[in-house]
Amino acid sequence: MSETHRLLEAANALSQLLRMHSIPHAFHGSILTAVLSDSTRCDEIFCIVDGGSTHPFRRVRQAIVGNEYFTTTHSPWSNSRLYATYRKLIPAVEIELLPAGEHGPRRLDGSTTMSLKGIPFLTLSEFIRDKLKSWAIRGSERDAHDIIYTLCRYWNRLDINRVPEHDMNHFVTCHRTAALSWAALKRKYGM
């Protein structure tokens, strides 16, 4: 596990670079629940990038080239993954970059992102949506924990239209602790 403040420092530095090059982006992963819960430890950070009319990784590589603290590396097993390594800290912090649409929403804007500590993150609804998708594929307990925490604490701030109902119904049959919050959210929307 990494210290949350180290991941936030790396996220802030990457965010500044991406903003300087007008690249829409948002962070997510267990870093979001760590920030929301004031946890000092977390183990997952992703950055979703929106490329507009070009591939987002090309724009990210162009933004990072020549920077003394960041390097990029393509995943050896997938073209849809790029890693940005922040080398100012020891040990270095690695942030996995993911293209918008394949992960998270297709467009990153004010309706799909929110700011925490001056850093753009996916909104809670988009975070749950992406975590639910990951959980349905991998069945990861880390994803389940993040979904349960966010749903149980912030159910009243979620947009049910962004949460896949079938997947969430399946999730709550496997994780009963989330059932009351899911039922409350459905009641709020008259379902």
Side-chain angles (χ1 to χ4, degrees):
M1 286 219 162
S2 295
E3 294 176 21
T4 302
H5 73 88
R6 290 170 37 83
L7 297 184
L8 286 173
E9 180 181 331
N12 189 42
L14 180 59
S15 184
Q16 287 177 11
L17 269 176
L18 297 177
R19 276 184 263 187
M20 284 183 353
H21 290 84
S22 301
I23 301 170
H25 62 284
F27 292 89
H28 87 99
S30 65
I31 183 75
L32 178 58
T33 53
V35 170
L36 291 172
S37 66
D38 288 326
S39 173
T40 59
R41 314 287 281 161
C42 73
D43 58 358
E44 179 184 69
I45 184 169
F46 300 104
C47 182
I48 296 176
V49 291
D50 187 345
S53 61
T54 63
H55 195 282
F57 292 169
R58 174 180 292 160
R59 295 182 69 200
V60 169
R61 285 192 310 271
Q62 289 170 346
I64 289 177
V65 72
N67 184 279
E68 65 180 308
Y69 297 122
F70 277 101
T71 58
T72 58
T73 308
H74 268 286
S75 169
W77 48 271
S78 172
N79 284 337
S80 65
R81 308 243 174 185
L82 180 71
Y83 296 91
T85 305
Y86 184 61
R87 300 192 183 284
K88 185 176 181 181
L89 301 174
I90 299 175
V93 174
E94 191 171 81
I95 300 172
E96 186 173 354
L97 294 133
L98 305 166
E102 291 180 32
H103 298 271
R106 289 185 183 170
R107 293 283 173 238
L108 299 171
D109 56 30
S111 68
T112 58
T113 64
M114 64 181 180
S115 181
L116 293 173
K117 298 190 181 274
I119 301 169
F121 283 90
L122 289 180
T123 61
L124 297 175
S125 300
E126 294 297 338
F127 174 73
I128 290 230
R129 180 183 178 89
D130 198 63
K131 280 290 187 172
L132 199 54
K133 179 180 171 184
S134 295
W135 177 83
I137 293 168
R138 295 190 308 246
S140 164
E141 282 305 308
R142 176 192 312 156
D143 292 333
H145 173 75
D146 288 341
I147 294 166
I148 292 167
Y149 177 83
T150 307
L151 180 63
C152 290
R153 291 281 178 122
Y154 301 101
W155 68 267
N156 202 27
R157 294 176 53 191
L158 299 177
D159 178 358
I160 201 164
N161 298 307
R162 299 300 301 154
V163 179
E165 185 177 3
H166 176 75
D167 291 343
M168 187 57 86
N169 286 336
H170 175 64
F171 180 82
V172 297
T173 61
C174 298
H175 298 279
R176 299 303 303 162
T177 54
L180 288 175
S181 297
W182 177 236
L185 180 60
K186 286 173 34 174
R187 266 193 315 278
K188 175 184 171 187
Y189 282 88
M191 298 173 73

